Every structure is written in structure tokens, then in C-alpha cells.
Amino acid sequence: KKIDNIGNAIKEKRLILKISQKRLAKEVGKSPQLICDIEAGRKKPSVNTLFCIAKVLNLSLDKFFLQ
């Protein structure tokens, strides 16, 4: 996925794993609203937040930056 599609990649993997936005937010120490905003493309995650999300979802950071 390209960097513009970070939110889509997060949502896609989260839904595959059947993890709610609320649960993901709790696991990464952020608000459910922030997760919603990232998935919708309204906000970009910080590098630290992106790393934490990737860890919880068992995603390689490469997935966000490479096609």
C-alpha cells in the first residue's frame, strides 16, 4: 500500500483480525476517535503510533510504504 492508503491498510487488517477500533485504540494507548480518523484518512498517525498499530495487527511497516 502507498502511504496515502495507510488508513485503508489498517482498517482492512483490523477487520480481518476481527478487532474493534475501541480494542485497537486501547492496545496502542490512543483514543478510538483517533483510530477512526486515521482509517478515514482525516489524520495521519505519528511514526510511533504507526509502529504500535503495526505491532498489534502483526503488520510489517513495509506494508504501509511499499506497493
Side-chain angles (χ1 to χ4, degrees):
K1 306 270 182 191
K2 291 182 181 177
I3 192 147
D4 293 339
N5 295 325
I6 287 174
N8 290 335
I10 291 169
K11 183 176 183 178
E12 182 179 286
K13 182 67 172 187
R14 181 179 62 74
L15 292 175
I16 288 169
L17 296 175
K18 297 183 167 87
I19 295 173
S20 68
Q21 286 180 339
K22 185 176 179 179
R23 179 174 159 204
L24 178 59
K26 184 177 180 181
E27 299 235 4
V28 299
K30 300 294 177 184
S31 72
Q33 185 61 51
L34 178 61
I35 301 299
C36 180
D37 288 344
I38 291 169
E39 289 184 355
R42 290 186 293 267
K43 292 189 178 175
K44 298 288 185 194
S46 69
V47 172
N48 186 56
T49 298
L50 184 59
F51 178 78
C52 291
I53 290 170
K55 187 174 177 185
V56 170
L57 298 179
N58 197 26
L59 282 172
S60 166
L61 288 178
D62 293 351
K63 171 128 178 105
F64 297 119
F65 300 104
L66 301 175
Q67 290 265 25

